[in-house]
Amino acid sequence: MPEKKNFCRIAQNLPPNVGAEILRYGWRKPDILSLGQGEGNAPTPDFIMDGAVEALRAGKTHYGPVLGQPVLREALSSYYEQVFNFDIPANRLFVTGSGTTAMHLALTSILEKGDEVVAVTPIWKNLLGAVELAEARIVQVPLDFGEEESGSQKGWSLDLERLLAAVTDKTKALLIVTPSNPTGWMMSEEEMRHVLDFARARGIWIISDEVYSRTAYGLSHAPSFLGVAQADDLLITVNSFSKSWAMTGWRLGWLVGPAAAEEIIRDIALYDNMGPPTFTQFGAVKALEDGEDFIAQQMVGWEANRDYMMERLGAHPKITMVAPSATFYAFFKVEGEPDCLTFAKRLIDEQSLSLAPGCAFGAGAKGWMRLCFAVSRPRLEEALDRLERAL
Ligand SMILES: Cc1ncc(COP(=O)(O)O)c(C=O)c1O
């Protein structure tokens, strides 16, 4: 067995990913019920699969352009026009082999060793991997949780002054996930304008992960930095087909950057994996062209699950939480369980229920737990039964 010491220092010293460890811990049990991962249990709809299968049969099995098939880049441009009313030409849209890869490319294209990235947390930890690999430093600015019904707002909010005060002359970028995994918090358009004005004045990047932009309850989409920015702003948005089109296993995402990013991202992606798979992109074209009914129908199911979960979990005397305004996550704190890692392991050991521990999401989330409710009602009921037994 080769020893770890033979590998590079950065790889040896990557901080452990607690969320992934807990998932692995749960998968050892054959009867595990896992709501710890961020995906629904619905399969990809047929009309999307047909697009990919037809492409396979038509011989779309060769290398393709590194930044994606032109037809998909054009379809993304039309999608932004039709759903968001944004004018984003195809030369600002770069297709990637997942949202995670999109984030990796975005950060790799801007970070130098020693740079700082100011990130709003709690945050999906995997997004910070590229910061760590680049030997840049993450500065976490946690959201606040207001417990009061009146007075200060109940639920998650961002102290903008604190965010901006965390910026130093070493800061290269602000990293914001909105809507947020795991809290469901969304940044308002007004807050986005404020942050953008500040970033412009300081000449720093905004990296905005908008993977959950189509999961905002009661809205066709969440506010987007693309709606307040100019085409040449230092802004990169990260997106994915995973969540809203039920395509997690397809590993397909995209980036929107300034046109000047096109060659930079292309050249890094060339050395990464030479671009996304070819035939899957034709499924993604169908997703964009014909996916609106599916998205709407999926939101109806998730909203019903959210309400059901709030009736049960939200009403439990030991639980503190608010209904998320977006995403499909319940993020909650349990009275008497200050250590979320111990609690996550106990749930697996005693109830065969796997949930994500809050400490996997960085500062501000210790003692919290995340449950993904994008599942069938019987599965959700069973998970809540097991959780209530443990409480
Ligand atoms: C905020 C956020 N960004 C990106 C991703 C990754 O998406 P993908 O499946 O496209 O890699 C996730 C997945 O959970 C996520 O929560």
Side-chain angles (χ1 to χ4, degrees), residues 33-41 181-182 212 243 302 305 309 327-332 353-356 369-376 379-380 383-384:
L33 172 53
S34 178
L35 302 193
Q37 212 160 15
E39 65 173 341
N41 60 357
N181 168 12
Y212 294 93
K243 315 290 175 177
W302 291 345
N305 275 4
M309 193 204 50
T327 76
F328 39 64
Y329 300 116
F331 199 53
F332 58 92
L353 175 65
S354 178
L355 302 183
M369 300 292 293
R370 191 197 73 177
L371 174 153
C372 171
F373 59 79
V375 292
S376 68
R379 240 172 118 77
L380 181 59
L384 294 179

PDB file of all heavy atoms in Angstrom, residues 33-41 181-182 212 243 302 305 309 327-332 353-356 369-376 379-380 383-384:
ATOM      1  N   LEU A  33     -31.966   4.486   6.011  1.00  0.00           N
ATOM      2  CA  LEU A  33     -32.839   5.414   5.289  1.00  0.00           C
ATOM      3  C   LEU A  33     -32.066   6.726   5.260  1.00  0.00           C
ATOM      4  O   LEU A  33     -31.845   7.350   6.303  1.00  0.00           O
ATOM      5  CB  LEU A  33     -34.171   5.553   6.032  1.00  0.00           C
ATOM      6  CG  LEU A  33     -35.152   6.618   5.536  1.00  0.00           C
ATOM      7  CD1 LEU A  33     -35.432   6.473   4.052  1.00  0.00           C
ATOM      8  CD2 LEU A  33     -36.470   6.515   6.301  1.00  0.00           C
ATOM      9  N   SER A  34     -31.630   7.119   4.082  1.00  0.00           N
ATOM     10  CA  SER A  34     -30.759   8.289   4.011  1.00  0.00           C
ATOM     11  C   SER A  34     -31.467   9.492   3.420  1.00  0.00           C
ATOM     12  O   SER A  34     -31.887   9.477   2.260  1.00  0.00           O
ATOM     13  CB  SER A  34     -29.509   7.977   3.183  1.00  0.00           C
ATOM     14  OG  SER A  34     -28.729   9.159   3.105  1.00  0.00           O
ATOM     15  N   LEU A  35     -31.628  10.524   4.256  1.00  0.00           N
ATOM     16  CA  LEU A  35     -32.084  11.822   3.755  1.00  0.00           C
ATOM     17  C   LEU A  35     -30.953  12.817   3.972  1.00  0.00           C
ATOM     18  O   LEU A  35     -31.164  13.999   4.204  1.00  0.00           O
ATOM     19  CB  LEU A  35     -33.360  12.277   4.472  1.00  0.00           C
ATOM     20  CG  LEU A  35     -34.576  11.349   4.384  1.00  0.00           C
ATOM     21  CD1 LEU A  35     -35.835  12.063   4.850  1.00  0.00           C
ATOM     22  CD2 LEU A  35     -34.818  10.848   2.967  1.00  0.00           C
ATOM     23  N   GLY A  36     -29.734  12.269   3.918  1.00  0.00           N
ATOM     24  CA  GLY A  36     -28.553  13.076   4.211  1.00  0.00           C
ATOM     25  C   GLY A  36     -27.943  13.683   2.965  1.00  0.00           C
ATOM     26  O   GLY A  36     -27.126  14.593   3.056  1.00  0.00           O
ATOM     27  N   GLN A  37     -28.322  13.181   1.796  1.00  0.00           N
ATOM     28  CA  GLN A  37     -27.733  13.709   0.583  1.00  0.00           C
ATOM     29  C   GLN A  37     -28.718  14.652  -0.105  1.00  0.00           C
ATOM     30  O   GLN A  37     -29.924  14.491   0.049  1.00  0.00           O
ATOM     31  CB  GLN A  37     -27.364  12.553  -0.358  1.00  0.00           C
ATOM     32  CG  GLN A  37     -26.155  12.879  -1.177  1.00  0.00           C
ATOM     33  CD  GLN A  37     -25.467  11.646  -1.741  1.00  0.00           C
ATOM     34  OE1 GLN A  37     -26.038  10.551  -1.748  1.00  0.00           O
ATOM     35  NE2 GLN A  37     -24.249  11.813  -2.212  1.00  0.00           N
ATOM     36  N   GLY A  38     -28.174  15.597  -0.875  1.00  0.00           N
ATOM     37  CA  GLY A  38     -29.021  16.643  -1.461  1.00  0.00           C
ATOM     38  C   GLY A  38     -29.599  16.268  -2.804  1.00  0.00           C
ATOM     39  O   GLY A  38     -29.225  16.830  -3.829  1.00  0.00           O
ATOM     40  N   GLU A  39     -30.510  15.311  -2.804  1.00  0.00           N
ATOM     41  CA  GLU A  39     -31.189  14.997  -4.058  1.00  0.00           C
ATOM     42  C   GLU A  39     -32.535  14.356  -3.790  1.00  0.00           C
ATOM     43  O   GLU A  39     -32.760  13.740  -2.753  1.00  0.00           O
ATOM     44  CB  GLU A  39     -30.354  14.062  -4.926  1.00  0.00           C
ATOM     45  CG  GLU A  39     -30.134  12.690  -4.357  1.00  0.00           C
ATOM     46  CD  GLU A  39     -29.436  11.755  -5.342  1.00  0.00           C
ATOM     47  OE1 GLU A  39     -29.443  12.047  -6.548  1.00  0.00           O
ATOM     48  OE2 GLU A  39     -28.893  10.739  -4.894  1.00  0.00           O
ATOM     49  N   GLY A  40     -33.413  14.523  -4.775  1.00  0.00           N
ATOM     50  CA  GLY A  40     -34.719  13.908  -4.676  1.00  0.00           C
ATOM     51  C   GLY A  40     -34.629  12.448  -5.090  1.00  0.00           C
ATOM     52  O   GLY A  40     -33.615  12.019  -5.635  1.00  0.00           O
ATOM     53  N   ASN A  41     -35.703  11.685  -4.836  1.00  0.00           N
ATOM     54  CA  ASN A  41     -35.649  10.297  -5.291  1.00  0.00           C
ATOM     55  C   ASN A  41     -36.423  10.078  -6.583  1.00  0.00           C
ATOM     56  O   ASN A  41     -36.549   8.967  -7.056  1.00  0.00           O
ATOM     57  CB  ASN A  41     -36.042   9.294  -4.195  1.00  0.00           C
ATOM     58  CG  ASN A  41     -37.454   9.524  -3.695  1.00  0.00           C
ATOM     59  OD1 ASN A  41     -38.115  10.471  -4.125  1.00  0.00           O
ATOM     60  ND2 ASN A  41     -37.923   8.674  -2.804  1.00  0.00           N
ATOM     61  N   ASN A 181     -27.863  26.279   0.432  1.00  0.00           N
ATOM     62  CA  ASN A 181     -27.819  24.936   1.000  1.00  0.00           C
ATOM     63  C   ASN A 181     -26.853  25.032   2.173  1.00  0.00           C
ATOM     64  O   ASN A 181     -25.692  25.367   1.949  1.00  0.00           O
ATOM     65  CB  ASN A 181     -27.286  23.955  -0.057  1.00  0.00           C
ATOM     66  CG  ASN A 181     -26.946  22.604   0.525  1.00  0.00           C
ATOM     67  OD1 ASN A 181     -27.286  22.299   1.651  1.00  0.00           O
ATOM     68  ND2 ASN A 181     -26.253  21.775  -0.255  1.00  0.00           N
ATOM     69  N   PRO A 182     -27.245  24.854   3.398  1.00  0.00           N
ATOM     70  CA  PRO A 182     -28.404  24.117   3.876  1.00  0.00           C
ATOM     71  C   PRO A 182     -29.572  24.954   4.443  1.00  0.00           C
ATOM     72  O   PRO A 182     -30.578  24.377   4.817  1.00  0.00           O
ATOM     73  CB  PRO A 182     -27.796  23.344   5.048  1.00  0.00           C
ATOM     74  CG  PRO A 182     -26.808  24.318   5.641  1.00  0.00           C
ATOM     75  CD  PRO A 182     -26.252  25.067   4.479  1.00  0.00           C
ATOM     76  N   TYR A 212     -29.707  26.495  -6.734  1.00  0.00           N
ATOM     77  CA  TYR A 212     -31.093  26.327  -6.246  1.00  0.00           C
ATOM     78  C   TYR A 212     -32.009  27.459  -6.705  1.00  0.00           C
ATOM     79  O   TYR A 212     -33.045  27.700  -6.091  1.00  0.00           O
ATOM     80  CB  TYR A 212     -31.102  26.214  -4.708  1.00  0.00           C
ATOM     81  CG  TYR A 212     -30.409  24.965  -4.220  1.00  0.00           C
ATOM     82  CD1 TYR A 212     -29.066  24.973  -3.873  1.00  0.00           C
ATOM     83  CD2 TYR A 212     -31.089  23.753  -4.148  1.00  0.00           C
ATOM     84  CE1 TYR A 212     -28.414  23.824  -3.446  1.00  0.00           C
ATOM     85  CE2 TYR A 212     -30.451  22.592  -3.728  1.00  0.00           C
ATOM     86  CZ  TYR A 212     -29.117  22.635  -3.378  1.00  0.00           C
ATOM     87  OH  TYR A 212     -28.489  21.485  -2.972  1.00  0.00           O
ATOM     88  N   LYS A 243     -30.495  19.617  -9.643  1.00  0.00           N
ATOM     89  CA  LYS A 243     -31.602  19.665  -8.685  1.00  0.00           C
ATOM     90  C   LYS A 243     -32.959  19.852  -9.372  1.00  0.00           C
ATOM     91  O   LYS A 243     -33.874  19.064  -9.159  1.00  0.00           O
ATOM     92  CB  LYS A 243     -31.377  20.791  -7.668  1.00  0.00           C
ATOM     93  CG  LYS A 243     -29.956  20.855  -7.104  1.00  0.00           C
ATOM     94  CD  LYS A 243     -29.606  19.714  -6.174  1.00  0.00           C
ATOM     95  CE  LYS A 243     -28.151  19.795  -5.770  1.00  0.00           C
ATOM     96  NZ  LYS A 243     -27.736  18.796  -4.825  1.00  0.00           N
ATOM     97  N   TRP A 302     -42.644  19.353  -3.499  1.00  0.00           N
ATOM     98  CA  TRP A 302     -41.700  19.757  -2.453  1.00  0.00           C
ATOM     99  C   TRP A 302     -42.367  20.695  -1.446  1.00  0.00           C
ATOM    100  O   TRP A 302     -42.116  20.625  -0.247  1.00  0.00           O
ATOM    101  CB  TRP A 302     -40.476  20.445  -3.066  1.00  0.00           C
ATOM    102  CG  TRP A 302     -39.591  19.534  -3.859  1.00  0.00           C
ATOM    103  CD1 TRP A 302     -39.597  18.162  -3.847  1.00  0.00           C
ATOM    104  CD2 TRP A 302     -38.571  19.911  -4.791  1.00  0.00           C
ATOM    105  NE1 TRP A 302     -38.644  17.678  -4.710  1.00  0.00           N
ATOM    106  CE2 TRP A 302     -37.991  18.714  -5.297  1.00  0.00           C
ATOM    107  CE3 TRP A 302     -38.071  21.134  -5.259  1.00  0.00           C
ATOM    108  CZ2 TRP A 302     -36.953  18.723  -6.233  1.00  0.00           C
ATOM    109  CZ3 TRP A 302     -37.043  21.133  -6.190  1.00  0.00           C
ATOM    110  CH2 TRP A 302     -36.488  19.942  -6.677  1.00  0.00           C
ATOM    111  N   ASN A 305     -44.459  18.706   0.860  1.00  0.00           N
ATOM    112  CA  ASN A 305     -43.587  18.023   1.832  1.00  0.00           C
ATOM    113  C   ASN A 305     -43.054  19.003   2.868  1.00  0.00           C
ATOM    114  O   ASN A 305     -42.940  18.685   4.055  1.00  0.00           O
ATOM    115  CB  ASN A 305     -42.406  17.364   1.118  1.00  0.00           C
ATOM    116  CG  ASN A 305     -42.754  15.989   0.597  1.00  0.00           C
ATOM    117  OD1 ASN A 305     -43.902  15.554   0.694  1.00  0.00           O
ATOM    118  ND2 ASN A 305     -41.789  15.306   0.027  1.00  0.00           N
ATOM    119  N   MET A 309     -43.717  18.642   6.759  1.00  0.00           N
ATOM    120  CA  MET A 309     -42.571  18.547   7.663  1.00  0.00           C
ATOM    121  C   MET A 309     -42.636  19.622   8.748  1.00  0.00           C
ATOM    122  O   MET A 309     -42.314  19.379   9.907  1.00  0.00           O
ATOM    123  CB  MET A 309     -41.330  18.722   6.808  1.00  0.00           C
ATOM    124  CG  MET A 309     -40.072  18.361   7.467  1.00  0.00           C
ATOM    125  SD  MET A 309     -38.822  19.277   6.632  1.00  0.00           S
ATOM    126  CE  MET A 309     -39.439  20.919   6.633  1.00  0.00           C
ATOM    127  N   THR A 327     -35.153  25.795  -1.673  1.00  0.00           N
ATOM    128  CA  THR A 327     -34.461  24.502  -1.522  1.00  0.00           C
ATOM    129  C   THR A 327     -35.393  23.440  -0.926  1.00  0.00           C
ATOM    130  O   THR A 327     -36.551  23.741  -0.610  1.00  0.00           O
ATOM    131  CB  THR A 327     -33.186  24.553  -0.633  1.00  0.00           C
ATOM    132  OG1 THR A 327     -33.548  24.616   0.742  1.00  0.00           O
ATOM    133  CG2 THR A 327     -32.263  25.672  -1.028  1.00  0.00           C
ATOM    134  N   PHE A 328     -34.853  22.248  -0.769  1.00  0.00           N
ATOM    135  CA  PHE A 328     -35.657  21.156  -0.218  1.00  0.00           C
ATOM    136  C   PHE A 328     -35.009  20.597   1.039  1.00  0.00           C
ATOM    137  O   PHE A 328     -34.956  19.390   1.244  1.00  0.00           O
ATOM    138  CB  PHE A 328     -35.894  20.058  -1.263  1.00  0.00           C
ATOM    139  CG  PHE A 328     -34.702  19.773  -2.149  1.00  0.00           C
ATOM    140  CD1 PHE A 328     -33.523  19.279  -1.624  1.00  0.00           C
ATOM    141  CD2 PHE A 328     -34.770  20.011  -3.521  1.00  0.00           C
ATOM    142  CE1 PHE A 328     -32.429  19.004  -2.432  1.00  0.00           C
ATOM    143  CE2 PHE A 328     -33.673  19.742  -4.346  1.00  0.00           C
ATOM    144  CZ  PHE A 328     -32.496  19.239  -3.792  1.00  0.00           C
ATOM    145  N   TYR A 329     -34.495  21.519   1.861  1.00  0.00           N
ATOM    146  CA  TYR A 329     -33.836  21.090   3.082  1.00  0.00           C
ATOM    147  C   TYR A 329     -34.542  21.625   4.318  1.00  0.00           C
ATOM    148  O   TYR A 329     -34.898  22.811   4.369  1.00  0.00           O
ATOM    149  CB  TYR A 329     -32.392  21.597   3.117  1.00  0.00           C
ATOM    150  CG  TYR A 329     -31.559  21.108   1.968  1.00  0.00           C
ATOM    151  CD1 TYR A 329     -31.032  22.001   1.040  1.00  0.00           C
ATOM    152  CD2 TYR A 329     -31.317  19.747   1.810  1.00  0.00           C
ATOM    153  CE1 TYR A 329     -30.270  21.547  -0.028  1.00  0.00           C
ATOM    154  CE2 TYR A 329     -30.556  19.283   0.742  1.00  0.00           C
ATOM    155  CZ  TYR A 329     -30.040  20.192  -0.169  1.00  0.00           C
ATOM    156  OH  TYR A 329     -29.289  19.736  -1.223  1.00  0.00           O
ATOM    157  N   ALA A 330     -34.717  20.748   5.309  1.00  0.00           N
ATOM    158  CA  ALA A 330     -35.102  21.205   6.639  1.00  0.00           C
ATOM    159  C   ALA A 330     -33.792  21.336   7.407  1.00  0.00           C
ATOM    160  O   ALA A 330     -33.012  20.379   7.451  1.00  0.00           O
ATOM    161  CB  ALA A 330     -35.985  20.161   7.300  1.00  0.00           C
ATOM    162  N   PHE A 331     -33.552  22.498   7.973  1.00  0.00           N
ATOM    163  CA  PHE A 331     -32.320  22.709   8.736  1.00  0.00           C
ATOM    164  C   PHE A 331     -32.754  23.074  10.145  1.00  0.00           C
ATOM    165  O   PHE A 331     -33.433  24.077  10.350  1.00  0.00           O
ATOM    166  CB  PHE A 331     -31.519  23.839   8.076  1.00  0.00           C
ATOM    167  CG  PHE A 331     -30.069  23.840   8.472  1.00  0.00           C
ATOM    168  CD1 PHE A 331     -29.291  22.703   8.334  1.00  0.00           C
ATOM    169  CD2 PHE A 331     -29.476  24.992   8.965  1.00  0.00           C
ATOM    170  CE1 PHE A 331     -27.952  22.697   8.686  1.00  0.00           C
ATOM    171  CE2 PHE A 331     -28.129  25.003   9.321  1.00  0.00           C
ATOM    172  CZ  PHE A 331     -27.371  23.861   9.180  1.00  0.00           C
ATOM    173  N   PHE A 332     -32.405  22.229  11.102  1.00  0.00           N
ATOM    174  CA  PHE A 332     -32.981  22.389  12.438  1.00  0.00           C
ATOM    175  C   PHE A 332     -31.971  22.095  13.544  1.00  0.00           C
ATOM    176  O   PHE A 332     -30.971  21.408  13.342  1.00  0.00           O
ATOM    177  CB  PHE A 332     -34.214  21.493  12.597  1.00  0.00           C
ATOM    178  CG  PHE A 332     -33.927  20.024  12.372  1.00  0.00           C
ATOM    179  CD1 PHE A 332     -33.582  19.200  13.427  1.00  0.00           C
ATOM    180  CD2 PHE A 332     -34.001  19.477  11.100  1.00  0.00           C
ATOM    181  CE1 PHE A 332     -33.307  17.845  13.226  1.00  0.00           C
ATOM    182  CE2 PHE A 332     -33.721  18.133  10.884  1.00  0.00           C
ATOM    183  CZ  PHE A 332     -33.375  17.316  11.953  1.00  0.00           C
ATOM    184  N   LEU A 353     -31.173   5.964  10.416  1.00  0.00           N
ATOM    185  CA  LEU A 353     -31.572   7.174   9.689  1.00  0.00           C
ATOM    186  C   LEU A 353     -30.328   8.039   9.503  1.00  0.00           C
ATOM    187  O   LEU A 353     -29.633   8.367  10.472  1.00  0.00           O
ATOM    188  CB  LEU A 353     -32.624   7.949  10.500  1.00  0.00           C
ATOM    189  CG  LEU A 353     -33.036   9.305   9.911  1.00  0.00           C
ATOM    190  CD1 LEU A 353     -33.754   9.127   8.565  1.00  0.00           C
ATOM    191  CD2 LEU A 353     -33.955  10.054  10.884  1.00  0.00           C
ATOM    192  N   SER A 354     -30.038   8.386   8.254  1.00  0.00           N
ATOM    193  CA  SER A 354     -28.850   9.188   7.985  1.00  0.00           C
ATOM    194  C   SER A 354     -29.259  10.602   7.593  1.00  0.00           C
ATOM    195  O   SER A 354     -29.976  10.812   6.607  1.00  0.00           O
ATOM    196  CB  SER A 354     -28.052   8.514   6.862  1.00  0.00           C
ATOM    197  OG  SER A 354     -26.932   9.276   6.540  1.00  0.00           O
ATOM    198  N   LEU A 355     -28.835  11.586   8.406  1.00  0.00           N
ATOM    199  CA  LEU A 355     -29.053  13.007   8.101  1.00  0.00           C
ATOM    200  C   LEU A 355     -27.690  13.680   8.085  1.00  0.00           C
ATOM    201  O   LEU A 355     -26.716  13.153   8.636  1.00  0.00           O
ATOM    202  CB  LEU A 355     -29.939  13.669   9.169  1.00  0.00           C
ATOM    203  CG  LEU A 355     -31.316  13.070   9.413  1.00  0.00           C
ATOM    204  CD1 LEU A 355     -32.077  13.913  10.446  1.00  0.00           C
ATOM    205  CD2 LEU A 355     -32.137  12.991   8.119  1.00  0.00           C
ATOM    206  N   ALA A 356     -27.611  14.860   7.481  1.00  0.00           N
ATOM    207  CA  ALA A 356     -26.311  15.541   7.410  1.00  0.00           C
ATOM    208  C   ALA A 356     -26.093  16.387   8.660  1.00  0.00           C
ATOM    209  O   ALA A 356     -26.976  17.169   9.033  1.00  0.00           O
ATOM    210  CB  ALA A 356     -26.261  16.415   6.163  1.00  0.00           C
ATOM    211  N   MET A 369     -28.872  20.182  12.115  1.00  0.00           N
ATOM    212  CA  MET A 369     -28.960  18.983  11.278  1.00  0.00           C
ATOM    213  C   MET A 369     -29.699  19.347   9.994  1.00  0.00           C
ATOM    214  O   MET A 369     -30.597  20.191  10.004  1.00  0.00           O
ATOM    215  CB  MET A 369     -29.772  17.882  11.988  1.00  0.00           C
ATOM    216  CG  MET A 369     -29.217  17.407  13.315  1.00  0.00           C
ATOM    217  SD  MET A 369     -27.669  16.513  13.184  1.00  0.00           S
ATOM    218  CE  MET A 369     -28.189  15.044  12.325  1.00  0.00           C
ATOM    219  N   ARG A 370     -29.350  18.670   8.896  1.00  0.00           N
ATOM    220  CA  ARG A 370     -30.053  18.918   7.631  1.00  0.00           C
ATOM    221  C   ARG A 370     -30.725  17.649   7.144  1.00  0.00           C
ATOM    222  O   ARG A 370     -30.109  16.581   7.093  1.00  0.00           O
ATOM    223  CB  ARG A 370     -29.067  19.404   6.566  1.00  0.00           C
ATOM    224  CG  ARG A 370     -29.760  19.931   5.319  1.00  0.00           C
ATOM    225  CD  ARG A 370     -28.823  20.031   4.140  1.00  0.00           C
ATOM    226  NE  ARG A 370     -28.508  18.716   3.609  1.00  0.00           N
ATOM    227  CZ  ARG A 370     -27.747  18.493   2.536  1.00  0.00           C
ATOM    228  NH1 ARG A 370     -27.203  19.519   1.899  1.00  0.00           N
ATOM    229  NH2 ARG A 370     -27.505  17.270   2.117  1.00  0.00           N
ATOM    230  N   LEU A 371     -31.995  17.805   6.790  1.00  0.00           N
ATOM    231  CA  LEU A 371     -32.780  16.684   6.260  1.00  0.00           C
ATOM    232  C   LEU A 371     -33.291  17.082   4.877  1.00  0.00           C
ATOM    233  O   LEU A 371     -33.865  18.159   4.724  1.00  0.00           O
ATOM    234  CB  LEU A 371     -33.939  16.397   7.222  1.00  0.00           C
ATOM    235  CG  LEU A 371     -35.013  15.384   6.871  1.00  0.00           C
ATOM    236  CD1 LEU A 371     -35.624  14.808   8.160  1.00  0.00           C
ATOM    237  CD2 LEU A 371     -36.129  15.958   6.020  1.00  0.00           C
ATOM    238  N   CYS A 372     -33.087  16.225   3.896  1.00  0.00           N
ATOM    239  CA  CYS A 372     -33.572  16.518   2.537  1.00  0.00           C
ATOM    240  C   CYS A 372     -34.987  15.947   2.400  1.00  0.00           C
ATOM    241  O   CYS A 372     -35.183  14.742   2.534  1.00  0.00           O
ATOM    242  CB  CYS A 372     -32.631  15.876   1.517  1.00  0.00           C
ATOM    243  SG  CYS A 372     -33.280  15.947  -0.153  1.00  0.00           S
ATOM    244  N   PHE A 373     -35.955  16.841   2.126  1.00  0.00           N
ATOM    245  CA  PHE A 373     -37.343  16.353   2.047  1.00  0.00           C
ATOM    246  C   PHE A 373     -37.857  16.184   0.611  1.00  0.00           C
ATOM    247  O   PHE A 373     -39.065  16.059   0.387  1.00  0.00           O
ATOM    248  CB  PHE A 373     -38.287  17.225   2.896  1.00  0.00           C
ATOM    249  CG  PHE A 373     -38.327  18.691   2.534  1.00  0.00           C
ATOM    250  CD1 PHE A 373     -39.062  19.150   1.442  1.00  0.00           C
ATOM    251  CD2 PHE A 373     -37.655  19.623   3.310  1.00  0.00           C
ATOM    252  CE1 PHE A 373     -39.109  20.498   1.132  1.00  0.00           C
ATOM    253  CE2 PHE A 373     -37.688  20.982   3.005  1.00  0.00           C
ATOM    254  CZ  PHE A 373     -38.415  21.419   1.911  1.00  0.00           C
ATOM    255  N   ALA A 374     -36.923  16.143  -0.358  1.00  0.00           N
ATOM    256  CA  ALA A 374     -37.340  15.948  -1.756  1.00  0.00           C
ATOM    257  C   ALA A 374     -37.518  14.461  -2.039  1.00  0.00           C
ATOM    258  O   ALA A 374     -36.917  13.913  -2.962  1.00  0.00           O
ATOM    259  CB  ALA A 374     -36.293  16.547  -2.683  1.00  0.00           C
ATOM    260  N   VAL A 375     -38.323  13.822  -1.225  1.00  0.00           N
ATOM    261  CA  VAL A 375     -38.505  12.369  -1.349  1.00  0.00           C
ATOM    262  C   VAL A 375     -39.999  12.052  -1.350  1.00  0.00           C
ATOM    263  O   VAL A 375     -40.825  12.936  -1.097  1.00  0.00           O
ATOM    264  CB  VAL A 375     -37.828  11.626  -0.166  1.00  0.00           C
ATOM    265  CG1 VAL A 375     -36.325  11.757  -0.238  1.00  0.00           C
ATOM    266  CG2 VAL A 375     -38.341  12.124   1.182  1.00  0.00           C
ATOM    267  N   SER A 376     -40.332  10.795  -1.591  1.00  0.00           N
ATOM    268  CA  SER A 376     -41.751  10.423  -1.597  1.00  0.00           C
ATOM    269  C   SER A 376     -42.319  10.613  -0.181  1.00  0.00           C
ATOM    270  O   SER A 376     -41.574  10.542   0.807  1.00  0.00           O
ATOM    271  CB  SER A 376     -41.905   8.963  -2.015  1.00  0.00           C
ATOM    272  OG  SER A 376     -41.375   8.141  -0.996  1.00  0.00           O
ATOM    273  N   ARG A 379     -41.581   7.846   2.390  1.00  0.00           N
ATOM    274  CA  ARG A 379     -40.181   7.891   2.860  1.00  0.00           C
ATOM    275  C   ARG A 379     -39.992   9.002   3.884  1.00  0.00           C
ATOM    276  O   ARG A 379     -39.326   8.822   4.912  1.00  0.00           O
ATOM    277  CB  ARG A 379     -39.278   8.188   1.661  1.00  0.00           C
ATOM    278  CG  ARG A 379     -38.268   7.147   1.359  1.00  0.00           C
ATOM    279  CD  ARG A 379     -37.602   7.487   0.032  1.00  0.00           C
ATOM    280  NE  ARG A 379     -36.178   7.732   0.199  1.00  0.00           N
ATOM    281  CZ  ARG A 379     -35.275   6.772   0.363  1.00  0.00           C
ATOM    282  NH1 ARG A 379     -35.649   5.510   0.384  1.00  0.00           N
ATOM    283  NH2 ARG A 379     -33.999   7.055   0.509  1.00  0.00           N
ATOM    284  N   LEU A 380     -40.627  10.148   3.604  1.00  0.00           N
ATOM    285  CA  LEU A 380     -40.504  11.270   4.535  1.00  0.00           C
ATOM    286  C   LEU A 380     -41.184  10.934   5.863  1.00  0.00           C
ATOM    287  O   LEU A 380     -40.646  11.196   6.950  1.00  0.00           O
ATOM    288  CB  LEU A 380     -41.130  12.533   3.901  1.00  0.00           C
ATOM    289  CG  LEU A 380     -41.073  13.807   4.735  1.00  0.00           C
ATOM    290  CD1 LEU A 380     -39.631  14.184   5.079  1.00  0.00           C
ATOM    291  CD2 LEU A 380     -41.739  14.970   3.991  1.00  0.00           C
ATOM    292  N   ALA A 383     -39.001   8.624   7.796  1.00  0.00           N
ATOM    293  CA  ALA A 383     -37.827   9.324   8.353  1.00  0.00           C
ATOM    294  C   ALA A 383     -38.235  10.133   9.582  1.00  0.00           C
ATOM    295  O   ALA A 383     -37.542  10.132  10.607  1.00  0.00           O
ATOM    296  CB  ALA A 383     -37.215  10.231   7.299  1.00  0.00           C
ATOM    297  N   LEU A 384     -39.381  10.807   9.497  1.00  0.00           N
ATOM    298  CA  LEU A 384     -39.820  11.622  10.639  1.00  0.00           C
ATOM    299  C   LEU A 384     -40.204  10.740  11.822  1.00  0.00           C
ATOM    300  O   LEU A 384     -39.956  11.088  12.977  1.00  0.00           O
ATOM    301  CB  LEU A 384     -40.973  12.545  10.227  1.00  0.00           C
ATOM    302  CG  LEU A 384     -40.590  13.637   9.206  1.00  0.00           C
ATOM    303  CD1 LEU A 384     -41.792  14.499   8.839  1.00  0.00           C
ATOM    304  CD2 LEU A 384     -39.461  14.523   9.715  1.00  0.00           C
TER     305      LEU A 384
END
